[in-house]
Amino acid sequence: MLNIDLHCHSDASDGMLPPAELVTRAAACGVDVLALTDHDEVAGLPAARAAAEAVGLTLIAGVEISVSWGGQTIHVVGLRIDPLHAELAAGLEAIRLGRMERARRIGDDLARAGIPGAFAGAYACAANKQMVGRTHFARWLVAQGHATDLRSAFRRFLTRGNPGYVPHEWTTLENAVGWIRASGGIAVIAHPGRYAFDTRTTHLLLDAFRTLGGEGIEVVTGSHHPSEYGKWADLARAFGLKASRGTDFHAPGEGVEPGRVPALPHYCRPVWQGWPEIDAHLSLSLA
Ligand code: AMP
Ligand code: MN
Ligand code: MN
Ligand code: MN
């Protein structure tokens, strides 16, 4: 059985490890096939690919795109994308520019709440100066003693109703799925259990996503409680979507390690079914 982890972050977005270290750590954790899925960014992929070749891990080119849908932010993972595809690259660059404006507004809002210097602090925390996210603010807030850990930083700041929350318009679901597909990739809804949609709206989302050409949803993710796996596996089947598995690893000591979530329920149709990389990995390990 291959250990396939199709969702994780490097310091090209809000992870803590440089791409090569992430790949080495994943290999040490027993991961055979890893997708690097940085937020709105593909800059980590070349270094990750070089490291993967060195340790005999199969790397899948991925991305996690920020989308506004139904009045909320949702995330769409692209797998087996072409990071050099012009339309995808331009779309991601536009999202990162919007992120930067949002980061300044987050800093302004925290300053109004009596916490000055947050933008500069978060910016300094970000290895990739084009990708400043709320996690960088949260890490800075913890380092400054405004919160005890990342979780409480998000509970007290940066989230709706709290200082440092600014509404933001990301790209559309149509754009995200369109760019991923145009580049030859497969679109997957990330951690669907994290969104606060009622049942009817969840069904509308899955239906709209499928109609746009989306192909999968994450069933087993570090963001789902094991008691939720069955529900999402059933919904995937009901909506004709495939199932994905990923840890959403960000950093050592922050949640689950690469590869360390359960296997997909046996009746799921895995999103990686028929991928040439999987067959190639299997024949390599047999040789
Ligand atoms: P952004 O895309 O900049 O809005 O940041 C979203 C990221 O923040 C997610 O990918 C997570 O890494 C992180 N995040 C969001 N909510 C929480 C939370 N409650 N606790 C820890 N990390 C969170
Ligand atoms: Mn993140
Ligand atoms: Mn996400
Ligand atoms: Mn993620």
Side-chain angles (χ1 to χ4, degrees), residues 36-228:
L36 176 60
T37 55
D38 276 311
H39 296 286
D40 311 314
E41 179 60 281
V42 292
L45 288 170
R49 183 162 304 288
E53 273 164 29
V55 298
L57 178 148
T58 294
L59 186 85
I60 304 292
V63 66
E64 180 174 18
I65 303 184
S66 309
V67 164
S68 293
W69 189 89
Q72 288 194 46
T73 297
I74 68 167
H75 288 167
V76 176
V77 163
L79 299 171
R80 301 190 79 232
I81 54 159
D82 171 6
L84 300 177
H85 189 270
E87 195 184 340
L88 173 66
L92 297 180
E93 193 180 359
I95 299 179
R96 292 195 301 273
L97 283 171
R99 252 186 191 285
M100 215 42 150
E101 285 168 26
R102 181 189 70 149
R104 291 187 186 282
R105 288 189 283 133
I106 291 174
D108 294 345
D109 199 60
L110 285 169
R112 276 192 291 276
I115 301 178
F119 174 77
Y123 189 81
C125 284
N128 176 357
K129 302 306 183 189
Q130 286 201 26
M131 228 312 303
V132 181
R134 284 185 297 159
T135 308
H136 301 112
F137 281 92
R139 292 205 183 106
W140 180 82
L141 286 163
V142 172
Q144 295 296 305
H146 296 293
T148 49
D149 56 20
L150 219 57
R151 225 175 156 58
S152 68
F154 273 96
R155 199 172 52 237
R156 297 178 49 197
F157 307 100
L158 308 168
T159 41
R160 201 170 288 197
N162 297 305
Y165 173 77
V166 299
H168 187 70
E169 202 58 41
W170 301 103
T171 195
T172 62
L173 186 64
E174 186 174 5
N175 281 343
V177 176
W179 299 334
I180 290 166
R181 282 170 62 80
S183 87
I186 292 145
V188 173
I189 295 184
H191 41 64
R194 275 221 330 230
Y195 314 130
F197 294 130
D198 58 24
T199 304
R200 199 183 83 89
T201 312
T202 298
H203 291 185
L204 284 175
L205 171 63
L206 297 182
D207 194 47
F209 179 69
R210 168 88 212 251
T211 303
L212 290 169
E215 291 176 59
I217 64 171
E218 289 183 345
V219 168
V220 172
T221 129
S223 296
H224 287 172
H225 189 270
S227 64
E228 295 176 273

Side-chain angles (χ1 to χ4, degrees), residues 2-9 22 25-27 29-37 57-62 77 79 218 220-222 244-250 256-262 264 271-272 275 278:
L2 291 180
N3 189 329
I4 299 173
D5 185 341
L6 298 180
H7 190 148
C8 69
H9 297 271
L22 166 74
R25 190 177 187 94
C29 288
V31 174
D32 300 293
V33 178
L34 180 75
L36 176 60
T37 55
L57 178 148
T58 294
L59 186 85
I60 304 292
V77 163
L79 299 171
E218 289 183 345
V220 172
T221 129
S244 191
R245 169 184 188 265
T247 52
D248 209 353
F249 173 80
H250 281 72
V256 69
E257 286 288 320
R260 301 284 165 84
V261 284
L264 288 178
V271 75
W272 58 80
W275 286 4
I278 304 291

